[in-house]
DNA sequence: CCCAATTTGTTCGTATGTATA
DNA sequence: TTATACATACGAACAAATTGG
């Protein structure tokens, strides 16, 4: 039987009462640091709770408290009887955490993605501000068309700092097997932790209209997303143009933790 | 036969191992039932944890597990040294959980609300389906204009079932002191627990254009919201038309529980 | 201002149940 | 079956925040 291999975390025992911070929060920070540094890779199992608690020199309850919060933030995933794993971006669960377009009738489906353009650019002011880089910094720029049910629905333009993605090429980008965020994570160890989006309604400009097969001036949604990694570090800036004739942009508020 | 103790909240001791359900979940359901029935009113404090645990016949750890989940779902609020309270809709924290329009520069402000229309209608098919009532059922229909910085930004039309809001009148509605959801909660004991929204970009129709002071055909966002109470019961259906020239519709994904 | 009572927050440890390999 | 891992449940003790005297 293949054994799940847990990882040498290079964790040190937490100093109790060291900083006025609750112990479980210090534990959380230690785990967060291990995740951020990549000492535990996405998909890998953490040491068992009992062992991890011993390694850190805290009780199992304290460890669980810290892990609970990381699970709530989608950074770890617990599997009963198996272990606790570093969350990955490959599951559909995670995909749909960041993909908000669905059919009017509520059914979700995976979009077909076409790469329209890939290149290097110098960041304009808007992109630079979003990515917290200097204006004029080198960025990779990507354009995608997303189709649902054979219909072009989303025109994505996204920018990522070249400094974060050394050695990226169109070939590598094109040959990624799964989602973009999974690619960032698997190939560059860069995990998108959360994001914020700002949406407007605008008249389709000429490029968007062409890509989506619309008349110029058709109302479309324009969504500006900044994707953040650990420590609120900007990873990607994306402008999505969405044709909402047949599909909706959806937003859930206050989902219950589990069924009541 | 489990011993049944009746108390202030009319909570009964939970039967251990009664239903294959974890004990903390049974506790959660008991608390949920107390909230839903209004036996504990919004803003009121629950009995202290120690006492509540004793009342329910469970350990304090088990009680806290249940309360933790209700806090995560924004139904309860803990205050260190003071108690655990039934969440209300009057704090700005809760207001902004359901109000997603803000200035381009990210600053939030409270909207000025003007009541444009109030009346009784028969639910059309769309409203009826959203509210889970029969088409043609009696509903109250309300129209509001929301302004930010003196600018008309949102045109809200909302429908609520007459059956849920007995004795509602334009006078009562107009004289409510605070937010709409606070009004539902304080006056009718109806708590909005969560909501989902579906957004599109459309050309402003004549009524929206008039209310928002726009040219007909200007691209605007149209957001359809269904607000749900306990047990997923629909409470309100709302169609918001938003002018996004100066303001954005914002959407946060995966906010961290607290500062890491 | 300090003290005492009350209440939630944190930490510990143990035992047992349940899912997985 | 057996071993491992997470899930649930218990309860004790002390810390920290709040309130009122």
């Amino acid at each position: 039987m293949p054994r799940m291999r847990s990882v040498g975390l290079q964790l040190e025992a937490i100093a109790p009462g060291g900083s006025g911070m609750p112990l479980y929060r210090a534990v959380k920070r230690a785990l967060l640091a291990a995740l951020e540094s990549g000492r535990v890779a996405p998909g890998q199992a953490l040491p068992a709770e009992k062992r991890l608690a011993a390694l850190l020199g805290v009780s199992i309850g304290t460890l669980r408290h810290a892990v609970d919060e990381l699970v709530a933030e989608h950074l770890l995933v617990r599997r009963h009887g198996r272990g606790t794993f570093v969350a990955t971006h490959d599951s559909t669960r995670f995909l749909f955490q960041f993909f908000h377009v669905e059919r009017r009738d509520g059914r979700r489906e995976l979009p077909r993605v076409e790469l329209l353009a890939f290149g290097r650019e110098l960041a304009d002011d808007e992109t630079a501000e979003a990515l917290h880089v200097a204006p004029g910094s080198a960025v990779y720029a990507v354009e995608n068309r997303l189709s649902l049910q054979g219909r072009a629905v989303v025109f994505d333009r996204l920018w990522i700092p070249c400094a974060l993605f050394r050695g990226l090429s169109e070939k590598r980008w094109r040959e990624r097997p799964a989602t973009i965020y999974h690619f960032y994570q698997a190939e560059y160890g860069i995990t998108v932790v959360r994001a914020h989006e700002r949406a407007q309604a605008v008249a389709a400009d000429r490029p968007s209209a062409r890509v989506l097969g619309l008349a110029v001036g058709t109302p479309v949604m324009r969504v500006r997303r900044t994707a953040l990694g650990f420590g609120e570090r900007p990873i990607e800036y994306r402008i999505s143009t969405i044709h909402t004739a047949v599909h909706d942009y959806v937003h859930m508020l206050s989902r219950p933790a589990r069924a009541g």
Side-chain angles (χ1 to χ4, degrees), chain A:
Chain A
M1 296 292 127
R3 271 295 293 277
M4 203 59 67
R5 213 177 20 177
S6 61
V7 180
L9 283 183
Q10 302 168 340
L11 290 172
E12 297 173 359
I14 308 289
S19 55
M21 188 195 304
L23 189 51
Y24 78 89
R25 200 159 285 275
V27 170
K28 184 181 172 183
R29 286 174 79 120
L31 294 173
L32 222 28
L35 294 175
E36 182 171 359
S37 72
R39 292 198 295 276
V40 274
Q44 264 188 322
L46 262 55
E49 292 178 341
K50 216 166 109 178
R51 209 168 98 76
L52 195 46
L55 285 173
L56 292 162
V58 302
S59 78
I60 195 162
T62 300
L63 173 74
R64 277 186 67 86
H65 195 164
V67 172
D68 281 345
E69 291 202 354
L70 294 170
V71 168
E73 293 167 28
H74 305 295
L75 294 174
L76 296 177
V77 177
R78 284 207 181 95
R79 290 184 213 165
H80 195 159
R82 299 226 284 138
T84 302
F85 301 81
V86 182
T88 64
H89 274 295
D90 57 354
S91 70
T92 56
R93 175 179 164 71
F94 256 70
L95 172 63
F96 287 133
Q97 178 148 23
F98 293 100
F99 184 65
H100 299 104
V101 177
E102 65 179 37
R103 277 159 52 176
R104 185 78 21 100
D105 63 17
R107 306 211 9 162
R108 312 205 77 157
E109 84 188 273
L110 292 173
R112 183 170 66 90
V113 182
E114 295 166 87
L115 179 63
L116 303 180
F118 179 101
R120 267 177 97 103
E121 289 180 6
L122 304 185
D124 61 19
D125 289 353
E126 178 183 337
T127 302
E129 186 186 346
L131 292 177
H132 289 184
V133 299
S137 303
V139 294
Y140 292 107
V142 180
E143 294 186 4
N144 278 325
R145 170 163 50 198
L146 278 59
S147 300
L148 294 159
Q149 305 171 272
R151 221 184 281 260
V153 177
V154 182
F155 173 38
D156 270 343
R157 286 171 294 167
L158 65 90
W159 296 267
I160 55 181
C162 291
L164 279 182
F165 293 87
R166 297 273 174 211
L168 180 57
S169 64
E170 175 168 351
K171 181 175 152 67
R172 271 185 90 181
W173 179 279
R174 194 184 285 280
E175 289 172 353
R176 82 191 131 81
T179 71
I180 292 174
Y181 289 174
H182 182 253
F183 174 70
Y184 296 166
Q185 187 178 60
E187 296 291 315
Y188 291 90
I190 294 172
T191 296
V192 172
V193 170
R194 64 188 198 91
H196 55 256
E197 300 188 335
R198 307 180 70 85
Q200 304 148 37
V202 299
D205 57 15
R206 192 170 304 279
S208 300
R210 193 174 54 246
V211 168
L212 296 175
L214 306 173
V216 171
T218 304
V220 292
M221 274 184 63
R222 179 143 297 168
V223 180
R224 291 175 161 79
R225 171 193 295 178
T226 306
L228 306 172
F230 290 101
E232 303 289 282
R233 176 199 200 132
I235 293 174
E236 175 201 89
Y237 183 54
R238 179 186 299 217
I239 300 181
S240 301
T241 302
I242 309 172
H243 183 214
T244 53
V246 181
H247 295 80
D248 290 328
Y249 174 89
V250 300
H251 185 171
M252 298 294 204
L253 292 92
S254 273
R255 219 184 317 245
R258 303 189 195 85

